[in-house]
Amino acid sequence: MTTTAVALVLAAGHSQRFGSDKRQQRLDTGQTLLEASLALPCARLAEVWLALRDDDRAPATLPAKVRVLQSGASRLGLGHSIAASVERIAQASDAQVLALFLADMPFIRPATFEALLACADAAHICRPAYQGRPGHPVLFGRAFWPALCQLEGDNGARAVLQAHPGAVRTV
């Protein structure tokens, strides 16, 4: 039986270090960074959510399947943005796995995502690694969604992985 997964693409940051809205920067393909980052989850999953700031306009070029989550919690940091988004997804979705993507990572290989999906289930966290360094996306089984809903500040979901090392599967 295949475990159902949902994607959450985090795009609620302010790009302060970049100097402008990096989500709208054009790649050599002609796509924006955001469009390219949405391509893989949209190609593979039926349910894709996009976290934006509450003052953002959803891009007109979003695929029809993308559901937009807007929250003022993003002003409080990445952890708050993840928490608010996962809380809403948990109420609306029956999926057993949440694939957490960053909107500035357009070059994730489909084979990497397929390998993660193959080992994902409701009771584990799956993450890729290359030469011993962890990467993205990270897939969280539904058992860990309540912990994701408790995140705060500007830290991402690393604390959830650290709190449950026995549940982490590295691909």
Side-chain angles (χ1 to χ4, degrees), residues 18-71:
F18 192 77
S20 65
D21 188 350
K22 67 181 171 184
R23 301 169 301 180
Q24 299 308 314
Q25 294 299 306
R26 294 268 171 208
L27 302 175
D28 291 342
T29 63
Q31 291 178 299
T32 66
L33 183 62
L34 179 58
E35 290 168 347
S37 296
L38 283 166
L40 178 60
C42 284
R44 183 56 179 83
L45 300 177
E47 196 174 347
V48 178
W49 297 74
L50 176 64
L52 296 174
R53 296 184 307 267
D54 61 343
D55 60 349
D56 268 341
R57 273 208 239 132
T61 58
L62 282 182
K65 71 166 56 178
V66 175
R67 296 175 67 176
V68 175
L69 296 165
Q70 291 183 280
S71 172

Side-chain angles (χ1 to χ4, degrees), residues 58-169:
T61 58
L62 282 182
K65 71 166 56 178
V66 175
R67 296 175 67 176
V68 175
L69 296 165
Q70 291 183 280
S71 172
S74 65
R75 288 187 182 90
L76 301 173
L78 179 61
H80 285 279
S81 186
I82 292 170
S85 297
V86 173
E87 186 174 333
R88 290 194 36 210
I89 292 169
Q91 294 169 359
S93 177
D94 293 329
Q96 294 301 301
V97 173
L98 176 92
L100 193 59
F101 284 85
L102 302 179
D104 61 357
M105 293 193 165
F107 302 119
I108 295 168
R109 294 182 177 177
T112 301
F113 190 41
E114 290 299 326
L116 290 165
L117 287 170
C119 80
D121 63 38
H124 290 91
I125 300 167
C126 298
R127 69 174 181 184
Y130 179 72
Q131 296 182 344
R133 296 186 62 163
H136 292 277
V138 179
L139 280 61
F140 292 88
R142 195 163 187 121
F144 304 96
W145 294 15
L148 292 171
C149 290
Q150 299 302 312
L151 294 174
E152 296 180 332
D154 203 29
N155 295 317
R158 184 176 301 155
V160 177
L161 281 86
Q162 290 171 339
H164 305 281
V168 177
R169 295 176 171 168

